[in-house]
Amino acid sequence: MAGFSLKCGDCGTLLKSVEEAQEHAELTKHANFVESTEAVLNLVCSSCGKPCRSKTETDLHTKRTGHIEFVDKTAEAAKPISLDAPKPKDDTELEEPSDGGSIQNEEMVVPEVNQQLLSELEEMGFPKERAIRALHFSGNVSLEAAANWIVENENDPDIDKMLLVPSSSSKTPEPKKQSLTPEEIKLKQQELKERARKKKEEDEKRMEREREKERIRVGRELLEAKRVEEENERKRTLALRKAEKEEEKRAREKIRQKLEEDKAERRRRLGLPAEESSVAKPSSVPPAKEEKASFLPVRPATKAEQMRECLRTLKQTHKDEEAKVKTAFSTLLTFAKNVATNPDEEKFRKIRLSNANFQDRVGKLKGGIEFLELCGFEKVEGGEFLFLAPHKLDLAVLHSAGSELNSAINNPFFGVL
């Protein structure tokens, strides 16, 4: 298949002819070219007809002019490339230069530009490389033309690279005579500086507006997040207060029930008849038997009731030693909690009775050891240890023990009556 372009093996640029390849080699010092079947792009602007050879050129053209529509005429312009060297127009072009060098190997140098205009551009803040390019391509005509070229080509990727041209074309024609007076030139310089200053101020104002919008947006988000957090906190507070009120109501009801149970228990022990709420006994029972039955419990005491009675006995027996009673209750609660939480740990199910701390906290107080025995502990090894065997471990009993101990610790009326 015939080739439609020459491709630079160093940078990948597509070139239409051998002449373009030679110019590319002179400018870049690239020497590796191969024939390619890929045609050079020919994207023609629909508005002004400017041809562009790459997507980069179309983007730059759009940025400079605002034109966005391009027609792809690559297929129409594609022609097989001729690899023959270009023929000279006349015999004089075949003559070698007087210095013995060849046209292709001509030395690349920095172009000569108007030094006065170059100094003025550098004083305006433009880099030397950019100023030389602007003066060279604008023909060293005027400061305004060079400045306009910089504005139009400021996005070129090589604008700040030093321009190199063949030595034969390095000398540019003398600049045309300035038609402006020195005062007009100074005014034009001031106008350019003012234009640059205004553009900078406009950019700064635009950035400040964007930053202000961002600050407002972030502020609104923070306020909304704070409002949501406060609303959630208010709901949590209301729920906590409601739970506290319900807990207080349950505690009062529990105290009332305790008082009624204690009152009924005292009446039972004193042999007094039950209150009206009590169920009447059958009339067929003989009076003697009825009187004897009044001293017996109405129903068998549950394990929880036995524990409650044991704790009540402990508190009433040591009512003048409130600190010891609280310590005993807390210690018993710790024993029950440790066993319920770690049922497989033997160290929590075995207590040495001779331990001084245990004796001081629980062992010497009436009802302490009895409460542990109700939890399932038994005396082993000649009464030296209290041990809760795994097969006798009942979590329901331990939970009941914990509930009774919590009630005894938190109920200010426990054991008073």
Side-chain angles (χ1 to χ4, degrees):
M1 187 174 182
F4 290 97
S5 64
L6 289 176
K7 185 174 184 180
C8 178
D10 296 320
C11 63
T13 303
L14 295 177
L15 305 162
K16 289 183 177 180
S17 62
V18 176
E19 293 87 341
E20 286 190 0
Q22 290 176 348
E23 293 178 2
H24 182 76
E26 291 176 358
L27 293 174
T28 62
K29 302 301 182 181
H30 297 169
N32 183 18
F33 297 93
V34 294
E35 187 177 3
S36 174
T37 57
E38 182 179 359
V40 179
L41 287 178
N42 185 21
L43 304 176
V44 181
C45 178
S46 300
S47 301
C48 63
K50 176 178 174 57
C52 298
R53 299 177 59 168
S54 66
K55 185 65 170 58
T56 303
E57 290 187 16
T58 59
D59 292 341
L60 291 174
H61 182 71
T62 300
K63 188 171 184 180
R64 294 170 186 167
T65 63
H67 301 162
I68 59 175
E69 294 185 2
F70 295 87
V71 178
D72 189 354
K73 295 185 178 181
T74 304
E76 300 177 6
K79 295 180 181 179
I81 191 171
S82 174
L83 300 181
D84 296 335
K87 295 181 180 181
K89 295 181 179 180
D90 50 42
D91 296 340
T92 59
E93 294 183 1
L94 297 177
E95 296 179 0
E96 294 184 354
S98 58
D99 56 356
S102 63
I103 297 177
Q104 288 78 3
N105 297 327
E106 191 172 359
E107 183 182 2
M108 304 297 289
V109 296
V110 178
E112 296 182 2
V113 295
N114 188 299
Q115 295 300 317
Q116 180 180 356
L117 297 178
L118 177 62
S119 300
E120 292 178 358
L121 287 173
E122 289 180 342
E123 290 177 0
M124 294 174 64
F126 295 112
K128 182 177 180 180
E129 295 79 1
R130 185 178 301 192
I132 291 176
R133 280 181 178 270
L135 290 172
H136 176 76
F137 289 113
S138 63
N140 285 306
V141 176
S142 64
L143 184 66
E144 183 178 7
N148 290 335
W149 186 94
I150 292 175
V151 173
E152 293 175 358
N153 299 271
E154 60 181 353
N155 294 319
D156 291 354
D158 58 349
I159 191 169
D160 288 326
K161 293 182 180 180
M162 180 58 72
L163 177 65
L164 297 177
V165 298
S167 57
S168 60
S169 60
S170 63
K171 294 184 179 181
T172 57
E174 290 295 327
K176 297 179 181 180
K177 187 175 181 180
Q178 292 283 348
S179 60
L180 301 177
T181 63
E183 291 76 9
E184 291 176 337
I185 294 176
K186 290 182 179 180
L187 291 175
K188 183 63 69 174
Q189 292 175 352
Q190 292 177 359
E191 181 182 351
L192 291 173
K193 292 180 179 179
E194 184 67 18
R195 188 188 306 172
R197 184 185 64 80
K198 287 183 178 180
K199 185 175 182 300
K200 183 177 179 181
E201 289 180 353
E202 290 177 357
D203 292 341
E204 291 178 352
K205 288 180 180 180
R206 180 178 56 81
M207 293 300 296
E208 183 61 28
R209 286 195 297 269
E210 294 295 330
R211 287 192 292 267
E212 185 63 23
K213 290 180 181 179
E214 182 67 15
R215 283 196 295 268
I216 293 173
R217 185 187 65 80
V218 173
R220 288 177 178 174
E221 291 181 356
L222 291 176
L223 288 176
E224 180 64 18
K226 184 177 180 181
R227 186 191 65 78
V228 173
E229 180 63 24
E230 290 177 351
E231 181 67 18
N232 293 337
E233 182 64 24
R234 186 182 65 82
K235 291 180 180 179
R236 287 194 294 267
T237 303
L238 291 176
L240 181 60
R241 289 178 180 174
K242 184 177 180 181
E244 289 177 351
K245 288 182 179 180
E246 292 178 354
E247 181 67 23
E248 184 179 356
K249 183 179 179 180
R250 288 195 297 268
R252 289 179 179 176
E253 181 64 23
K254 194 172 182 179
I255 292 172
R256 187 186 63 79
Q257 293 177 0
K258 284 286 186 181
L259 292 175
E260 291 180 358
E261 291 177 1
D262 293 344
K263 185 177 180 180
E265 182 69 17
R266 288 196 306 275
R267 292 180 67 86
R268 183 185 62 78
R269 289 185 178 182
L270 295 174
L272 298 176
E275 295 181 346
E276 294 180 358
S277 60
S278 301
V279 179
K281 292 182 173 52
S283 58
S284 61
V285 179
K289 290 185 179 180
E290 184 177 356
E291 183 179 355
K292 185 177 180 181
S294 64
F295 291 95
L296 297 176
V298 177
R299 57 183 173 79
T302 63
K303 183 76 68 139
E305 291 174 344
Q306 294 176 10
M307 291 179 179
R308 189 183 313 122
E309 182 62 27
C310 185
L311 296 175
R312 186 183 294 110
T313 301
L314 191 151
K315 185 169 184 178
Q316 290 178 349
T317 304
H318 306 278
K319 59 183 178 181
D320 296 332
E321 299 175 304
E322 185 176 353
K324 282 191 174 183
V325 172
K326 288 185 177 180
T327 301
F329 287 169
S330 300
T331 304
L332 292 172
L333 180 61
T334 302
F335 285 145
K337 186 183 296 184
N338 287 341
V339 176
T341 307
N342 305 280
D344 296 329
E345 293 288 341
E346 184 177 344
K347 65 179 180 179
F348 295 129
R349 294 186 284 105
K350 193 171 185 179
I351 304 172
R352 183 184 293 275
L353 291 174
S354 60
N355 185 280
N357 288 332
F358 173 77
Q359 286 295 324
D360 186 55
R361 292 170 177 263
V362 177
K364 293 180 180 180
L365 278 67
K366 183 179 179 180
I369 294 179
E370 290 80 357
F371 184 87
L372 291 173
E373 289 176 343
L374 289 173
C375 292
F377 284 86
E378 296 178 342
K379 292 182 179 180
V380 296
E381 299 183 16
E384 184 178 356
F385 292 95
L386 278 175
F387 181 69
L388 178 56
H391 65 278
K392 290 190 176 182
L393 192 153
D394 191 341
L395 292 179
V397 173
L398 292 174
H399 290 161
S400 297
S403 299
E404 295 300 330
L405 286 166
N406 280 323
S407 176
I409 292 172
N410 298 322
N411 185 1
F413 303 104
F414 183 82
V416 175
L417 301 176

